[in-house]
Amino acid sequence: MSKIVLQTPISDADIESLSVGDIIYLDGHLVTARDDVHHRLLKQERALPVDLAGKAIFHAGPIMKKIQEKPGRYEVVSIGPTTSMRMEAYEKEFIRRTGLKLIVGKGGMGPQTTEGCRIYKAIHAVFPGGCAVLAATCVEDVESVEWLDLGMPEAMWILRVKEFGPLIVSIDTKGNNLFEKNRRAFEAQKDVVLEEICRHVDYFG
Amino acid sequence: MDRTQARNTFIDLIARFTDYSSKHLPDDVRTKLKELGDREDSQMAKIIYTAMFDDIKMADALNRPVCQDTGVIQYFVRVGTKFPLIDEIEDGLREAVKKATEIAPLRPNAVEVFDEKNTGNNVGTRIPWIDWEIMPNRDDVEIYCYMAGGGCSLPGTAKVLMPLEGYEGVVKFVFDQITSYGINACPPLLVGIGIAGSVEVAAKLSKKALLRPLGSHNSNPRGAELEARIEQGLNDLHIGPGGLSGRSSVMGVHIEQAARHPATIAVGLSTGCWAHRRALIRIDASMGYEVISHRGAKI
Ligand code: SF4
């Protein structure tokens, strides 16, 4: 099986053929955007300093280091995904307003994002959680940073990446949601397991 | 060594120890991950475990934090009443965190409540969090460093149940939380459970349960049996690495308890993620030390 590598700017056609469970990689621009960036755009109605159309965002708060010899420039020390679900209430509208095509994060997202991905043609994919040094080694350059006043984790870091991955597609453009499917399976199994354990835990005399 | 010298040595040592613990997982966790990874057979689960092992290797080779979320730093201190630097520990730990944040570097994660400003150096009101236990008639100190990440702290919760909900209530509480929030907390998880009479005791014990080495058991035979049952049950959910499904779900389940009130049964839950950054150092009266959690560690 050949490696699927998406390249920014990503077109609708690039992602419409992808399905949940597919493993992909990214070349091009990846911009970090987590809680505060969503809050600024959608709650405070402030214009984003970066055009995200056709690009990818990363739910991540990295550790960055200033490059001594190059004032104003940074390098990535460690950058892994943060819990995407925190952005659930905002993401559909965020996709609509920005025209972004790929959301990278950790864990699943909910029905609103799934709908947003279907209507506006975008996907959500997960990078293995916690694998932050691995991710950092896929970053070729930190091109710039915006909204640094939000602090290092919350700022928008504009990264150029090469074969960034593995990324597992968790929401596709067809309304499928991998984590939701898994969650239902875990829930169903939970009842069976609980019943068994609870037969053994009456410690009251 | 005079007092100032000893104090500086202590700060320097703890800074290096904290730095080290952000970049290296403890021996027991690495062994367990290997064991769980070997048992997986699906392509997806294998890919995730491979990513984790690559990450662990690169963190070591490049001298970088294993995970970017180096957490809010917590120290669990067991101090001998005769430890000569006992007066300096609290302030020394705060200074050490500032230093570690710079040298590692660690991500600044301390956000002052109400001011909503990140302090930039991981030190803030009551942070690093320090938990104290006294060891009578000893002149050494044992310090656990624990990095409590946002993602693995999210499933953390505690509740007081009615006694008639019984231990069934406790078990159900744990499973509900793990199948909702736990999935996103970077499984395989280490599950810490506290059972007590009130909420703050249960919560604190659940965190202390995470400090126990993997493979250790509850001191009460029933408690040990319940740990094993919950572990088996959670594994039977097949949550898998990263919540993407697989053969196992957890690295372990640890329960710690305190006697309860007849009218209450409180349960606390803390979760550790696969990047379980827990390190233990013992320092003696003359500032000699041993990193117990990481055999042969040079810090
Ligand atoms: S849950 Fe653990 S491994 Fe995952 S992002 Fe948080 S600290 Fe890192």
Side-chain angles (χ1 to χ4, degrees), chain A residues 81-82 106 129-131, chain B residues 67-70 147-152 184-186 273-275 277:
Chain A
T82 193
K106 167 180 98 155
C131 298
Chain B
C67 174
Q68 82 291 340
D69 188 354
T70 46
M147 299 193 168
C152 38
N184 295 337
C186 295
C273 53
W274 72 265
R277 287 144 301 163

Side-chain angles (χ1 to χ4, degrees), chain B residues 58-299:
Chain B
M58 287 177 185
D60 185 57
L62 300 172
N63 189 34
R64 295 184 186 181
V66 173
C67 174
Q68 82 291 340
D69 188 354
T70 46
V72 167
I73 294 161
Q74 309 183 331
Y75 293 108
F76 294 80
V77 181
R78 304 179 64 212
V79 62
T81 47
K82 311 266 187 306
F83 181 63
L85 268 188
I86 192 166
D87 293 337
E88 309 286 344
I89 294 178
E90 183 162 351
D91 188 53
L93 290 176
R94 291 174 70 87
E95 287 307 312
V97 166
K98 288 184 200 164
K99 205 163 171 174
T101 301
E102 229 177 273
I103 58 176
L106 306 176
R107 197 175 75 180
N109 273 340
V111 178
E112 287 293 8
V113 168
F114 300 126
D115 303 336
E116 285 305 310
K117 283 271 174 299
N118 192 321
T119 63
N121 60 9
N122 280 316
V123 170
T125 307
R126 296 193 169 115
I127 292 297
W129 181 256
I130 304 172
D131 179 89
W132 296 98
E133 279 180 35
I134 301 286
M135 301 191 289
N137 300 314
R138 279 181 47 175
D139 66 356
D140 58 343
V141 64
E142 291 177 355
I143 302 177
Y144 283 96
C145 173
Y146 183 78
M147 299 193 168
C152 38
S153 295
L154 263 178
T157 178
K159 193 178 176 188
V160 182
L161 307 174
M162 306 285 179
L164 286 182
E165 292 177 74
Y167 292 81
E168 287 98 322
V170 170
V171 174
K172 191 168 179 309
F173 176 83
V174 171
F175 273 74
D176 284 347
Q177 200 64 13
I178 298 295
T179 50
S180 50
Y181 290 87
I183 294 168
N184 295 337
C186 295
L189 305 172
L190 178 57
V191 178
I193 301 168
I195 305 177
S198 59
V199 79
E200 81 290 0
V201 178
K204 188 164 167 173
L205 290 174
S206 73
K207 185 48 98 38
K208 293 206 171 185
L210 294 183
L211 302 179
R212 264 175 41 198
L214 290 171
S216 61
H217 304 288
N218 187 277
S219 54
N220 180 300
R222 280 181 173 167
E225 193 191 304
L226 185 58
E227 286 177 340
R229 283 193 195 284
I230 296 178
E231 176 171 346
Q232 181 64 50
L234 287 172
N235 282 336
D236 287 344
L237 301 184
H238 303 301
I239 289 173
L244 286 156
S245 79
R247 289 194 59 171
S248 37
S249 315
V250 296
M251 296 193 284
V253 174
H254 293 173
I255 304 176
E256 288 293 307
Q257 68 273 33
R260 63 180 185 86
H261 186 285
T264 60
I265 180 162
V267 52
L269 179 76
S270 292
T271 45
C273 53
W274 72 265
H276 188 54
R277 287 144 301 163
R278 171 237 301 125
L280 171 61
I281 191 170
R282 181 186 295 129
I283 306 173
D284 63 32
S286 53
M287 288 290 126
Y289 69 88
E290 184 194 358
V291 182
I292 296 166
S293 51
H294 299 64
R295 214 148 26 100
K298 300 229 179 347
I299 61 172

Side-chain angles (χ1 to χ4, degrees), chain A residues 33-127:
Chain A
R34 49 183 276 168
D35 311 65
D36 288 2
V37 169
H38 287 72
H39 185 85
R40 272 202 177 165
L41 176 70
L42 300 174
K43 283 276 147 172
Q44 299 178 342
E45 295 285 349
R46 290 173 62 172
L48 282 184
V50 190
D51 177 15
L52 293 176
K55 294 200 182 106
I57 63 162
F58 193 12
H59 294 153
I63 303 176
M64 292 289 185
K65 205 164 103 187
K66 284 191 175 130
I67 304 177
Q68 293 298 345
E69 315 78 67
K70 297 185 200 156
R73 300 298 303 264
Y74 291 82
E75 65 179 323
V76 190
V77 175
S78 206
I79 183 167
T82 193
T83 308
S84 290
M85 194 55 103
R86 295 201 311 271
M87 272 52 80
E88 169 63 10
Y90 295 103
E91 209 65 287
K92 181 182 170 189
E93 183 62 12
F94 198 86
I95 301 170
R96 189 181 76 79
R97 294 245 204 133
T98 59
L100 69 85
K101 290 290 149 196
L102 169 64
I103 305 157
V104 180
K106 167 180 98 155
M109 295 192 74
Q112 298 173 58
T113 304
T114 310
E115 195 182 82
C117 284
R118 191 175 52 76
I119 299 174
Y120 308 116
K121 300 294 167 221
I123 57 173
H124 175 264
V126 296
F127 186 91

